[in-house]
C-alpha cells in the first residue's frame, strides 16, 4: 500500500506542476516578480515567517512518522503512545 501511495502522490504532484507550467507558459501577460507582488516590507517578513513555521511543522511531522515507523519495525508498542 505504501508503494501505491507514493505512486499516486507522485502522479498528483506531477499533474499540479504540469498544469502550473502550462498556465505559466500559455499566458502572454508577464507574471509579477516576487519583489513587486508584496505591497510592503512588513508583509514580506510575515509571509517569510509563515513559510518558516509551515516548514518546521512539515519537518516535525515527517520526523514523528519516521520514529513511529521505526518503533513499529522494532515492535515496541509502549514508546509511540502518549
Amino acid at each position: 500500500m505504501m508503494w501505491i501511495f507514493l505512486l499516486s502522490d507522485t502522479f498528483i504532484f506531477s499533474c499540479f506542476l504540469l498544469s502550473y507550467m502550462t498556465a505559466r507558459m500559455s499566458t502572454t501577460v508577464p507574471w509579477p516578480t516576487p519583489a513587486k507582488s508584496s505591497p510592503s516590507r512588513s508583509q514580506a517578513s510575515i509571509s517569510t515567517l509563515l513559510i518558516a513555521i509551515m516548514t518546521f511543522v512539515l519537518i516535525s511531522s515527517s520526523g514523528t512518522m519516521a520514529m513511529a515507523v521505526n518503533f513499529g519495525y522494532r515492535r515496541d508498542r509502549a514508546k509511540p503512545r502518549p
Side-chain angles (χ1 to χ4, degrees), residues 24 31-40 44 47:
R24 190 81 192 246
W31 286 41
T33 60
K36 292 181 181 178
S37 62
S38 66
S40 68
S47 65

Side-chain angles (χ1 to χ4, degrees), residues 34-53:
K36 292 181 181 178
S37 62
S38 66
S40 68
R41 188 163 176 84
S42 64
Q43 283 185 342
S45 65
I46 290 172
S47 65
T48 305
L49 177 66
L50 288 175
I51 291 170
I53 290 170

Side-chain angles (χ1 to χ4, degrees), residues 4-5 13 16 20 26 31 33 35-36 38 41 47 49-50 52 57-58 60 65-67 72 74 80 82:
I4 293 172
F5 167 72
F13 279 106
F16 284 152
Y20 173 73
S26 65
W31 286 41
T33 60
K36 292 181 181 178
S38 66
R41 188 163 176 84
S47 65
L49 177 66
L50 288 175
V57 169
L58 181 65
S60 298
M65 283 303 298
M67 287 186 345
R74 289 191 288 172

Side-chain angles (χ1 to χ4, degrees), residues 10-28:
T10 302
F11 288 139
I12 287 171
F13 279 106
S14 62
C15 288
F16 284 152
L17 289 173
L18 275 170
S19 62
Y20 173 73
M21 183 184 70
T22 304
R24 190 81 192 246
M25 299 301 257
S26 65
T27 185
T28 57

